[in-house]
Amino acid sequence: MSVWDDLVGQEPAIAVLKKAVAGAEAGMRGETGAAVAGMTHAWLITGPPGSGRSNAGRAFAAALQCANQGCGECNECRTALSGAHPDVSLIRTELLSIRVSEIRELVRRAAMSPTQGRWQVMVVEDADRLTEQAADALLKSIEEPAPRTVWVLCAPTVEDVVPTIRSRCRLLVLRTPPVAAVAEMLTSKLGVDAELAGFAARAAQGHIGRARALARDEQVRERRTKVLEVPFALRDIGACLKSAQQLVDAAKEESKASAEKVDEKERTELEQALGVGTKGARPREAGAAIKELEEQQKARAKRWERDVLDRSLVDLIALYRDVLVVQTHAGAELINAELSRPIEQLAARTTPEQTLHRIDALSGCREAIVTNVAPLMALEAVMIALFEGSASPFVRLASD
């Protein structure tokens, strides 16, 4: 067992991080030169969704605190991985952005010496969500770090981080985990049946969290099946509009169900902290604090809804990718092998050019939703594009 065990199919990246930990250890012993060359004070870990960016950041933080360079069993490893270590700060957001106030607090802690551990490690799991002001607040700390401070930023791509920050970090790129590695993880760690594990690994397209959900939750598999039925139901414009509404409604329902699990708990905890409901006068700041929490919860629900829609669009892109594989006789394995017959029928009725237009339209829809195009409008446009096999409508839509 080690802190690296949850990084599936990332052996090259693990080797780089292990070398850095060894370099940090050598530096603590007073060695110089080649012995410490692999270590630096600021890292940017990038990789596609589900590749394990956050897990890599946490594992690196734990290994730096561990006297055995990441054994996975000592108190330092366990507390660092869980977020309970006093010298490992983990920041992530369920909102659309990380605010400057959060980064200023992180910068303040980064200037301190470690209290118990060997390093002060600051892991920003959503560095792509830094506001411009938050990025500015972070820059000076990365430029002039405290002697025992290490920054670990995580983002989908290097372009998602502002140039002034990424230029001061060492880049580590994670790959999409191989299907075989994901399937093996599901069978060995979760005890999933080999056939189901193979399906989940293929369908998740390298997204570890998605693979776990598909393997363990029948409802997740049913929702995905309904999404993949959409292209075969687009027989006229009315069906396109209906399918768009169904996808939006399903996303709202799923995000609402997820939000309800945490919203009430957060409000109860805040009210208890403010003394709401106890004897005496209502605290003056209670109303403002509760209103701020409600606004944050609404923003989080909006993000979760977008995430559900994006996942549906990714599944549809995978379906049309399979259609293109059949049309071009590429010989690659189908992601949706269980739908091979309807995929072959769809491939026979359309051309590769139309399939490429459909993939382009779905990709454009993903970008449009990120740039705040109304989800229903974006989904209606893409459904019509799928029905017609026409070029992407989103060049014009995103600018309207």
Side-chain angles (χ1 to χ4, degrees):
M1 179 179 177
S2 79
V3 297
W4 314 107
D5 288 349
D6 285 338
L7 295 180
V8 179
Q10 304 294 348
E11 289 77 14
I14 291 172
V16 172
L17 293 175
K18 282 185 174 180
K19 183 178 179 181
V21 173
E25 187 73 19
M28 292 185 69
R29 294 194 300 265
E31 300 180 37
T32 58
V36 300
M39 184 58 184
T40 187
H41 73 279
W43 294 75
L44 174 57
I45 301 177
T46 67
S51 58
R53 300 185 304 265
S54 298
N55 286 343
R58 290 170 181 252
F60 187 37
L64 287 170
Q65 303 293 8
C66 176
N68 297 310
Q69 302 182 27
C71 69
E73 299 178 355
C74 66
N75 182 63
E76 285 75 14
C77 285
R78 292 197 303 271
T79 54
L81 290 173
S82 68
H85 196 290
D87 295 318
V88 176
S89 298
L90 306 172
I91 183 169
R92 64 189 304 273
T93 184
E94 298 290 354
L95 306 180
L96 300 178
S97 62
I98 298 176
R99 296 170 297 177
V100 65
S101 59
E102 297 174 87
I103 293 300
R104 283 174 179 160
E105 172 60 22
L106 202 63
V107 167
R108 185 189 66 80
R109 293 203 299 269
M112 300 178 180
S113 299
T115 57
Q116 296 180 16
R118 303 143 70 82
W119 298 88
Q120 185 79 259
V121 188
M122 326 304 290
V123 182
V124 182
E125 297 185 6
D126 300 291
D128 54 310
R129 296 184 183 273
L130 291 169
T131 64
E132 184 177 348
Q133 294 86 352
D136 289 341
L138 177 60
L139 180 59
K140 184 173 178 60
S141 184
I142 289 182
E143 285 180 324
E144 303 173 8
R148 291 281 180 185
T149 295
V150 178
W151 286 93
V152 183
L153 313 182
C154 306
T157 71
V158 66
E159 289 79 14
D160 291 319
V161 180
V162 296
T164 51
I165 288 182
R166 70 191 190 214
S167 64
R168 290 162 173 80
C169 299
R170 179 176 177 182
L171 178 63
L172 179 67
V173 180
L174 304 187
R175 62 182 179 177
T176 299
V179 170
V182 177
E184 195 281 329
M185 179 273 294
L186 293 174
T187 55
S188 63
K189 291 190 175 183
L190 302 182
V192 177
D193 172 77
E195 184 176 352
L196 179 56
F199 157 77
R202 278 188 291 102
Q205 302 175 64
H207 193 300
I208 304 298
R210 178 71 167 158
R212 287 196 179 101
L214 286 166
R216 303 165 91 173
D217 193 333
E218 186 176 354
Q219 287 188 339
V220 173
R221 297 195 292 272
E222 290 176 354
R223 285 196 292 266
R224 180 178 179 274
T225 297
K226 289 181 180 179
V227 170
L228 295 179
E229 290 172 353
V230 166
F232 307 103
L234 302 179
R235 296 182 175 86
D236 53 42
I237 298 299
C240 294
L241 301 181
K242 181 179 179 181
S243 294
Q245 187 67 63
Q246 288 174 340
L247 287 174
V248 171
D249 289 345
K252 288 182 177 178
E253 182 179 348
E254 185 176 341
S255 62
K256 181 181 178 181
S258 300
E260 286 177 346
K261 295 178 182 178
V262 296
D263 285 0
E264 185 176 352
K265 179 182 178 183
E266 289 177 343
R267 185 182 178 103
T268 299
E269 291 176 349
L270 177 61
E271 289 179 344
Q272 289 176 346
L274 293 171
V276 176
T278 59
K279 293 182 179 179
R282 179 185 176 94
R284 184 178 301 175
E285 69 275 12
I290 291 173
K291 183 179 179 181
E292 182 181 4
L293 174 64
E294 290 173 346
E295 291 175 351
Q296 291 176 357
Q297 290 175 339
K298 287 179 182 178
R300 179 174 61 198
K302 182 178 180 181
R303 176 184 169 182
W304 284 354
E305 181 183 337
R306 286 182 178 181
D307 289 345
V308 174
L309 288 174
D310 188 70
R311 189 169 64 233
S312 298
L313 293 168
V314 169
D315 286 336
L316 289 172
I317 289 173
L319 179 71
Y320 283 107
R321 173 263 187 198
D322 288 346
V323 172
L324 190 63
V325 166
V326 173
Q327 289 173 327
T328 58
H329 308 287
E333 181 181 10
L334 297 184
I335 293 172
N336 301 283
E338 68 281 0
L339 297 176
S340 58
R341 183 160 185 175
I343 285 172
E344 289 171 358
Q345 293 172 345
L346 184 57
R349 297 198 306 267
T350 59
T351 67
E353 290 76 16
Q354 288 176 316
T355 303
L356 287 171
H357 283 320
R358 290 178 170 118
I359 292 173
D360 180 55
L362 287 164
S363 299
C365 185
R366 295 181 68 195
E367 295 176 6
I369 291 174
V370 168
T371 56
N372 286 322
V373 173
L376 181 58
M377 182 186 296
L379 266 293
E380 288 176 344
V382 82
M383 291 299 116
I384 293 171
L386 295 182
F387 170 63
E388 297 176 344
S390 57
S392 174
F394 291 101
V395 172
R396 180 180 57 80
L397 182 60
S399 62
D400 285 351

